[in-house]
Amino acid sequence: MAEIQLRNVGKRWGSFVGVDNFDLTIADKEFLVLLGPSGCGKTTTMRMIAGLEDATEGDILIDGKKVNDLEPKDRDVAMVFQSYALYPNMNVYENIRFPLKVRGIDPATHDEKVRRASAMVELDDFLHRKPAELSGGQRQRVALARAIVREPNVFLMDEPLSNLDAKLRVSTRAQIKNLSHELAVTTIYVTHDQIEAMTLADRVVVMKQGVVQQLGSPTDIYDKPANTFVASFIGNPAMNLMDGTMSGGTFEAENVRVEGLHAPDGPVTLGFRAEDAGLGDAGHHEITAPIYTLELLGDATMVTVRIGGELVAVRAPKDFRSEIGDTVSLSVPASICHLFHAETGARIEA
């Protein structure tokens, strides 16, 4: 059982605010992802939970017990870092075993624990090798096994996949997902990669400049972004956003007209996702513009047009054929649109 409570936690260095008033309860066995760009405070938040940084304000509780003043080793958390932090002079077996020796765990149990952890991450054939003889993906799996062997209350993972190439990232991501299901241990995972967040998380915390922008399931955050920052950060490609004016339920901008919307008159930002729009249904052309670029993705063609100063992407069928510069009509019905306040960027609920 490991419920983690962050009560109005903050971190400041002089006048610089790293994390501001972070308030959250992470349920036992939950997989929570902290997502945001570099410098948004996600790693600082994790390091405060681990005890590697002191919180300037607020309380951190694990299982109802305040841990602010506890040393990292007394918090029963295991961290997996972006850099694998392995001991080069020890083989894989000894690297995985090391936390057991440090914690004074009965040596008679070591072999069984090490072999169980290595089997979980498929390292049985590499136990005799030194880290220098391993690939990046194998090293990261040693780091995972070293965290697993401790049987901690909480796993903390700080961008563990960012040093891996694209193919390894996918397979290691699947392994982490399966491990979290098998181990059923509370996990906090830091990343700037929204695909990792969407695929791994039970809930996602989107952060910007030390402040939580939105908290919810991956589906909530994708389908109903709380503001334009979240809308532009989640999704591949990100949500299309256009500034324009509402008048009597109609949104208008350069070469754009969408009717049937519900928002007060005045300046607004309209958003829609590339996969929700279509290419020119008869009599339903909300946007007409020349093609800026075409990208064949294999399962689809991404068509990008330029409207005003913005690039707008639409997902077309894979057999769509056209040329850069050709004029296309995009279908953007009101039902797929999201509206945001022009000044604050906050979502306008219909």
Side-chain angles (χ1 to χ4, degrees):
M1 162 74 186
E3 179 187 83
I4 300 170
Q5 291 173 289
L6 303 176
R7 292 186 178 161
N8 309 109
V9 171
K11 178 68 181 176
R12 300 170 197 280
W13 291 272
S15 61
F16 177 76
V17 179
V19 176
D20 190 28
N21 196 24
F22 197 112
D23 203 52
L24 174 69
T25 297
I26 302 157
D28 181 39
K29 300 183 175 61
E30 179 171 16
F31 197 116
L32 182 93
V33 173
L34 301 176
L35 174 70
S38 297
C40 72
K42 54 192 189 297
T43 296
T44 303
T45 302
M46 174 178 282
R47 289 174 65 85
M48 287 192 287
I49 295 167
L52 301 172
E53 295 273 5
D54 291 331
T56 316
E57 59 220 4
D59 292 329
I60 298 167
L61 292 86
I62 298 178
D63 285 342
K65 180 182 169 192
K66 185 174 165 184
V67 298
N68 289 46
D69 301 326
L70 288 185
E71 292 289 315
K73 64 183 173 56
D74 300 324
R75 296 192 184 195
D76 201 9
V77 302
M79 268 195 99
V80 181
F81 296 94
Q82 177 179 349
S83 61
Y84 318 120
L86 304 178
Y87 297 101
N89 56 326
M90 295 182 191
N91 65 18
V92 169
Y93 183 95
E94 289 300 330
N95 262 289
I96 297 172
R97 183 182 165 209
F98 190 74
L100 301 177
K101 287 166 71 175
V102 170
R103 298 177 89 75
I105 289 167
D106 178 4
T109 67
H110 286 196
D111 190 63
E112 183 201 343
K113 286 177 184 288
V114 169
R115 290 183 185 281
R116 192 173 69 216
S118 80
M120 279 185 164
V121 294
E122 298 166 23
L123 280 173
D124 292 353
D125 297 339
F126 302 95
L127 290 174
H128 60 284
R129 292 200 190 176
K130 296 274 179 71
E133 302 166 53
L134 302 176
S135 69
Q138 288 161 344
R139 286 183 212 173
Q140 191 54 281
R141 282 170 17 218
V142 177
L144 281 170
R146 193 177 52 189
I148 292 164
V149 81
R150 281 187 45 190
E151 298 171 16
N153 247 335
V154 181
F155 281 122
L156 302 174
M157 300 191 182
D158 189 6
E159 307 226 10
L161 306 185
S162 56
N163 286 350
L164 305 181
D165 64 43
K167 190 178 175 191
L168 258 179
R169 203 175 286 183
V170 172
S171 58
T172 313
R173 191 171 72 215
Q175 197 157 33
I176 289 174
K177 179 96 173 173
N178 185 268
L179 272 175
S180 77
H181 176 75
E182 229 173 286
L183 296 165
V185 173
T186 309
T187 303
I188 301 171
Y189 186 104
V190 161
T191 183
H192 61 269
D193 183 322
Q194 44 97 14
I195 294 174
E196 279 173 38
M198 298 292 286
T199 51
L200 291 171
D202 296 322
R203 285 191 302 165
V204 180
V205 178
V206 185
M207 297 181 71
K208 176 189 177 188
Q209 294 173 346
V211 178
V212 173
Q213 303 293 307
Q214 188 169 2
L215 165 66
S217 71
T219 311
D220 292 341
I221 283 174
Y222 190 83
D223 291 345
K224 285 195 161 184
N227 55 39
T228 49
F229 173 77
V230 177
S232 64
F233 200 77
I234 298 277
N236 188 21
M239 184 180 283
N240 297 306
L241 295 170
M242 292 177 286
D243 293 330
T245 308
M246 283 294 301
S247 178
T250 298
F251 173 89
E252 288 192 279
E254 185 185 335
N255 296 338
V256 183
R257 181 183 170 87
V258 183
E259 297 174 354
L261 295 165
H262 301 285
D265 288 357
V268 295
T269 301
L270 178 131
F272 64 89
R273 295 220 174 265
E275 70 270 20
D276 292 338
L279 279 170
D281 299 346
H284 218 73
H285 302 159
E286 277 84 1
I287 299 175
T288 306
I291 294 175
Y292 181 77
T293 187
L294 290 160
E295 295 165 285
L296 187 60
L297 305 177
D299 63 337
T301 302
M302 198 62 74
V303 180
T304 305
V305 299
R306 196 181 195 108
I307 297 165
E310 300 295 333
L311 294 178
V312 172
V314 177
R315 207 176 166 88
K318 62 182 179 182
D319 55 1
F320 176 81
R321 293 289 175 269
S322 198
E323 300 290 331
I324 290 176
D326 290 354
T327 297
V328 288
S329 297
L330 311 186
S331 166
V332 187
S335 58
I336 71 164
C337 293
H338 305 251
L339 292 169
F340 304 92
H341 288 282
E343 279 179 37
T344 64
R347 181 180 188 82
I348 300 171
E349 291 296 347

